[in-house]
Amino acid sequence: MQQKSKLFLQALKYSIPHLGKCMQKQHLKHCNFADHYYNRIKLKKYHLTKCLQNKPKISELARNIPSRSFSCKNFLPIKQENKKSLPENMDAFEKVRTKLETQPQEEYEIINAEIKHGGFVYYQEGCCLVRSKDEEADSDNYEVLFNMEELKLDQPFIDCIRVAPDEKYVAAKIRTEDSEASTCIVVKLSDQPSVEASFPNVSSFEWVKDEEDEDVLFYTFQRNLRCHDVYRATFGDNKRNERFYTEKDPSYFVFLYLTKDSRFLTMNIMNKTTSEVWLIDGLSPWDPPVLIQKRIHGVLYYVEHRDDELYILTNVGEPTEFKLMRTAADTPAIMNWDLFFTMKRNTKVVDLDMFKDHCVLFLKHSNLLYVNVIGLADDSVRSLKLPPWACGFIMDTNSDPKNCPFQLCSPIRPPKYYTYKFAEGKLFEETGHEDPITKTSRVLRLEAKSKDGKLVPMTVFHKMDSEDLQKKPLLVHVYGAYGMDLKMNFRPERRVLVDDGWILAYCHVRGGGELGLQWHADGRLTKKLNGLADLEACIKTLHDQGFSQPSLTTLTAFSAGGVLVGALCNSNPELLRAVTLEAPFLDVLNTMMDTTLPLTLEELEEWGNPSSDEKHKNYIKCYCPYQNIKPQHYPSIHITAYENDERVPLRGIVSYTEKLKEAIAEHAKDTGEGYQAPNITLDIQPGGNHVIEDSHKKITAQIKFLYEELGLDSTSVFENLKKYLKF
């Protein structure tokens, strides 16, 4: 059973809500992107290792909006004629290799959260929270702990699981696709498991054991998308539930994280640019928490612990990029922090994992992935450059001090396992079946020069044997906000598009986090137009280098990525033929003027404060998609919105759509007969989630729209989609 956790430094997004006014989901570990929704990825036929998520990593210190899972039938299908008997004279190794290459994998699926504790594995089976013996985790031999149907929710799923240290209790956070609201249930483990307590609107939670061997559950309470209150509770004969901390600043968000050695529970208080951490002693959880360093505007820091020392990932000092520092646990203040390791310029810290004798940093540098292994005994550093096809990490946290497992993936290639073995000092790659996409497609790392001379990285995928790429359809992806990387996780529909001849281009513009903290700083507040200039430069560069043409170019984004897409549609609509948007943030000015909305105060450091700062107000006016609609020709636009979305209010999307249609009608009237107006489609989905990533209805509607707008035959693409998605 293999698991997928969320990547790192998403706190820049989640303290930073995943907002549409923000978005999803990538990470300082978090609370969602940030999403504690840990999936496990399972290849039923070639399922080689068991790597179970044991706890969140530092990279989960951010709010994550989980996406729901999907199943894919007949993943990587192989033609029937390839199934031939193997020659008698073939040696054993060749027989195994040939079988792996010719035998189809049965089913690819993403399954819900699970956790390994002691001799048991806890996970979801159907609508139940269950546990089974570790060695029986893949069988049907399990014990039902709780039936989620008792909560009377529509299609509930488990978002996160935590087991008390001595396995007297297990806590699970449960939610549905249609809402971000969650319920935490606590189950007493006995011969007849029973529900001990139920708490509504829980965001993050962790167990510790006090001096009297009593289990204490710490949890944060979320109201109106804001998480400011921290509680602790005990159960059984000494039942109690008390609030012991409230964050008074509405622009901050509170998240709990247990250090990997379980020595300290950290209470992380953060917004998009500043953080503050308090330590709760795992041996004395009723003692008052200890402040590591009072918040300093612009200073971010995150904490791990090992052998009475704190390891602090922070941007304090120059350059203002992340660096690793350390100090004694009993002298945690900033004046005692000693520099331990610095990153190269333009480096994004994706995650950090702490082991008994090693610290492992997962990095992105010059748009390529690296792993740095630091020996804590001798301060040695080993830097490993990962395969160039890899675009994202999936962390597999385990308690084995000898190995560091993780997965690599790309938008068109499912995760592949790697393990760094400390004793050998080597990285080992999962062997066996090689994905055919490796030989049939190309991944290119390109750069575009923006107006001010900045080089903007791009990642491009296309079919290897494609001829005359200028005549191929192009789908451009962009985000560019909150210091969050553009999502490049595996998506079956992206793979299908590449197989059908499409070019996929991911533009890593300023405002995102791909080149570090400064890359984000250069695209927020009164520098938002840098992201727009970068996006325009990327599309023009692609065309100039022979990748498609404007009449075959489409653009897609979700949440805060809608700002740049909407702005480009206003300023340079001739570059595009069609656009798809999901839960897009399109009315920046009016939203940021409305302080009654749950996330406006949290968003001021990203967009500015137009209510009190005239400079910010005028700057937002010059790029806000809604404010700059005008009578002109626009690309066709398909918008997916969610009826009860609290992050990007539906009314802003509806107002944008109505105003856009009016401008198009006015332009058509002035143009005269023969003008073919673009199609503007608003698809309002029920529910209150912000983004339902794996909605088959949404996926098929968007693909159908793109094919129709470009005049392409969609027969083969939908036949291929049926192989991957269960309708």
Side-chain angles (χ1 to χ4, degrees), residues 261-318:
D261 61 3
S262 300
R263 180 64 180 81
F264 290 103
L265 177 64
T266 65
M267 193 163 64
N268 302 270
I269 304 161
M270 64 192 79
N271 65 15
K272 298 172 181 60
T273 61
T274 305
S275 62
E276 175 180 287
V277 182
W278 295 72
L279 292 181
I280 297 170
D281 192 332
L283 302 178
S284 304
W286 299 103
D287 291 350
V290 175
L291 176 63
I292 292 183
Q293 172 57 49
K294 184 178 180 180
R295 65 193 72 170
I296 302 171
H297 181 73
V299 173
L300 292 162
Y301 70 98
Y302 310 94
V303 177
E304 255 295 356
H305 176 265
R306 170 191 172 270
D307 286 354
D308 296 326
E309 286 188 316
L310 301 178
Y311 287 79
I312 303 167
L313 190 64
T314 179
N315 67 329
V316 69
E318 294 295 334

Side-chain angles (χ1 to χ4, degrees), residues 52 55 57 75 109 115 148 248 325 391 414 483 517 525 591 625:
L52 304 178
K55 61 173 64 182
K57 299 186 62 62
F75 190 65
E109 59 183 339
I115 189 168
M148 292 184 286
K248 301 246 177 106
M325 308 185 88
C391 300
L517 296 179
L525 295 176
T591 302

Side-chain angles (χ1 to χ4, degrees), residues 653-673:
I653 298 175
V654 172
S655 296
Y656 170 87
T657 305
E658 291 175 348
K659 186 176 180 180
L660 180 61
K661 287 182 176 180
E662 290 173 0
I664 290 171
E666 185 176 345
H667 176 67
K669 183 178 178 182
D670 294 340
T671 303
E673 293 185 11

Side-chain angles (χ1 to χ4, degrees), residues 3 63 108 140 144 188 219 275 319 339-340 474 611 677 695:
Q3 244 193 335
R63 266 177 294 185
Y108 166 85
D140 293 329
V144 175
K188 184 177 182 180
Y219 66 93
S275 62
L339 183 63
F340 179 58
L474 168 65
S611 297
S695 165

Side-chain angles (χ1 to χ4, degrees), residues 38 85 106 147 150 163 176 309 328 332 349 416 537 600 712 726:
Y38 301 118
S85 59
E106 289 182 343
N147 187 343
E150 296 179 21
V163 183
T176 69
E309 286 188 316
V349 180
K416 183 171 185 177
T600 295
L712 304 175
K726 288 182 177 179

Side-chain angles (χ1 to χ4, degrees), residues 669-684:
K669 183 178 178 182
D670 294 340
T671 303
E673 293 185 11
Y675 174 70
Q676 184 165 351
N679 293 317
I680 307 299
T681 302
L682 175 58
D683 181 10
I684 300 176

Side-chain angles (χ1 to χ4, degrees), residues 107-153:
E107 184 175 332
Y108 166 85
E109 59 183 339
I110 296 179
I111 308 174
N112 291 333
E114 69 178 29
I115 189 168
K116 178 180 178 181
H117 190 98
F120 291 93
V121 179
Y122 298 78
Y123 56 99
Q124 178 177 339
E125 187 73 34
C127 282
C128 296
L129 170 65
V130 304
R131 71 172 178 178
S132 65
K133 289 289 187 181
D134 188 6
E135 64 273 11
E136 299 171 352
D138 280 328
S139 73
D140 293 329
N141 185 9
Y142 53 78
E143 174 187 12
V144 175
L145 304 178
F146 175 70
N147 187 343
M148 292 184 286
E149 291 179 347
E150 296 179 21
L151 298 176
K152 301 189 185 316
L153 298 174

